Amino acid sequence: MAFREMFSKNHRTTDAAPPASTETGRDDTSFYDLKHKIHGRLIEETNLAALDSMDPAEIKTEVGGVVEYFLQEEQALLNEEEKRQLIVEVLNELMGLGPIEPFLKDPTISDILCNTYKDIFVERFGLLEKTSARFIDNAHLMNIIDRIISRVGRRIDESSPMVDARLPDGSRVNAIIPPLAIDGPILSIRRFAVNPLKMQDLVNYRTLTPQIAEFLAGCVKAKLNIMISGGTGAGKTTLLNILSGFIPANERIVTIEDSAELQMQQPHVVRLETRPASIEGTGTVTQRDLVRNSLRMRPDRIIIGEVRGAESFDMLQAMNTGHEGSLTTIHANTPRDSLTRLESMILMTGTNLPESAMRFMLSSALDLIIQSTRLTDGTRKVTAISEVVGMEGEVITLQDIFVFEKKGVDKDGKVLGRFMATGIRPKFADRLELAGIEVPEDLFSIDRYYE
């Protein structure tokens, strides 16, 4: 039986033909109010269970027919374009995420930021812009938040007013509601590309150069311990995902994340994800718990989506005890800042470790720090690649191998600059050669510039 014929028993109209539309409906009711009313009637008066047995094209046809019927009953006069738009938005309410569904289908949008129900911003090509889309009210936004987090077994309420979750495509979701969010629910979606980016894409976007890309690929193959540093939206996770693609297919990889988003291409991958506390406040599984457990899973490589707490100590211990080739990201503005943040995280664990011993552990565990930065024009650049050399007295020694030298800004606001070698040959260059990675003699020449 067709969906449009499956009106429930409490359908409030008779079998008579619907009244003809008049020109008064559109004047009396705003488009958002009309959509809300039509959506409510669909839920109340139709058998939505019938949708489960239909394909998307059939659903669109059937819902379109029911919406046409309701529009005539509501005496709303809409032109064909407005009807088409209304049907699309009602479908998004029924099967998608309401007003933000079109943004999820737009590959040029990387972030969707809902500041309460009234304001929806998106990031496109690295720059924020306000959209004309909006939710009906805060309750409508809360309904969409509940729809997202219920899919991954998370919850949000007054007792637990913050939540991290993910969409089926791997996009990260964060929601925070009153009383912590003063003006109303806040929803932030950090999108992940449907088709994962490759290293060539970063070269095309001028995030780095082909020579630097080959160098980084060689570092991964040679099993260097690498940490990617950067601010919010700097492309750390994207770069981590791309670099992980150079791990040989015959190695066992264990990934550890707060919200699973890495898109590994290898056949032998074990994906682990943290778990928040239950409603009784029990059952929490932290990244530190997962790092410790991963050591018993015979990993060749351990990849931590982002190091942010007590797991830093266990991660560094793993890097120092035979688990070479590990990868992670960290929030920091410079390579030096990233080491300071790691020290702070270790101190937060309560580990009674002398400063000198802690820094020696850091210097011996890490080989390379990659700094990723989002510039003022919205572009992302690898602005520094630094080697962790060792200890000099009480200080961890870093040396830059490649840097991005900023030259200024053109009349269109585009950042001008060039990549350059510092003239320092890294100590691990011999490890690359022993691993069969070809290192050109002039790659690190101080006279070498990469435009």
Side-chain angles (χ1 to χ4, degrees), residues 248-260:
N250 62 349
E251 294 188 16
R252 177 175 170 86
I253 304 167
V254 178
T255 68
I256 297 166
E257 303 171 82
D258 255 345
S259 289

Side-chain angles (χ1 to χ4, degrees), residues 8-28:
S8 62
K9 293 179 181 178
N10 64 349
H11 180 43
R12 62 174 178 260
T13 64
T14 64
D15 293 333
S21 59
T22 70
E23 296 187 4
T24 60
R26 184 61 171 166
D27 295 332
D28 296 336

Side-chain angles (χ1 to χ4, degrees), residues 374-398:
R374 181 168 63 173
L375 304 179
T376 53
D377 61 356
T379 59
R380 277 89 169 175
K381 300 284 186 187
V382 171
T383 52
I385 298 175
S386 306
E387 179 187 17
V388 183
V389 180
M391 293 287 293
E392 190 173 306
E394 295 290 314
V395 179
I396 301 172
T397 306
L398 289 178

Side-chain angles (χ1 to χ4, degrees), residues 30-156:
S30 72
F31 189 79
Y32 280 106
D33 290 340
L34 182 61
K35 181 183 74 171
H36 185 46
K37 185 179 289 188
I38 296 293
H39 180 227
R41 288 193 63 183
L42 273 170
I43 292 173
E44 291 174 7
E45 302 176 21
T46 60
N47 182 5
L48 296 181
L51 297 176
D52 297 336
S53 59
M54 298 180 183
D55 59 49
E58 190 179 2
I59 291 173
K60 185 174 181 179
T61 301
E62 296 294 336
V63 169
V66 175
V67 169
E68 288 266 12
Y69 186 95
F70 287 164
L71 283 175
Q72 290 182 340
E73 286 198 332
E74 298 292 340
Q75 298 185 342
L77 182 62
L78 301 179
N79 60 39
E80 288 303 314
E81 176 59 25
E82 289 172 330
K83 285 181 183 178
R84 186 195 65 79
Q85 181 64 25
L86 183 66
I87 290 170
V88 168
E89 293 194 16
V90 168
L91 282 168
N92 289 339
E93 294 292 343
L94 283 176
M95 306 172 61
L97 299 181
I100 62 175
E101 185 69 23
F103 304 135
L104 293 169
K105 296 175 181 175
D106 186 343
T108 66
I109 290 176
S110 54
D111 290 318
I112 303 169
L113 310 170
C114 304
N115 299 349
T116 72
Y117 74 95
K118 292 182 288 187
D119 299 320
I120 300 178
F121 293 81
V122 298
E123 182 187 278
R124 188 181 271 110
F125 305 120
L127 299 174
L128 282 176
E129 58 185 70
K130 187 175 181 179
T131 70
S132 59
R134 51 167 285 180
F135 294 88
I136 296 166
D137 50 29
N138 281 330
H140 184 201
L141 175 53
M142 277 300 303
N143 180 50
I144 297 300
I145 292 172
D146 286 333
R147 191 179 300 180
I148 293 171
I149 65 175
S150 62
R151 294 173 180 171
V152 290
R154 303 285 172 100
R155 67 184 180 88
I156 189 167

Side-chain angles (χ1 to χ4, degrees), residues 171-184:
S171 298
R172 285 177 287 177
V173 177
N174 175 270
I176 182 167
I177 65 172
L180 301 187
I182 297 171
D183 298 320

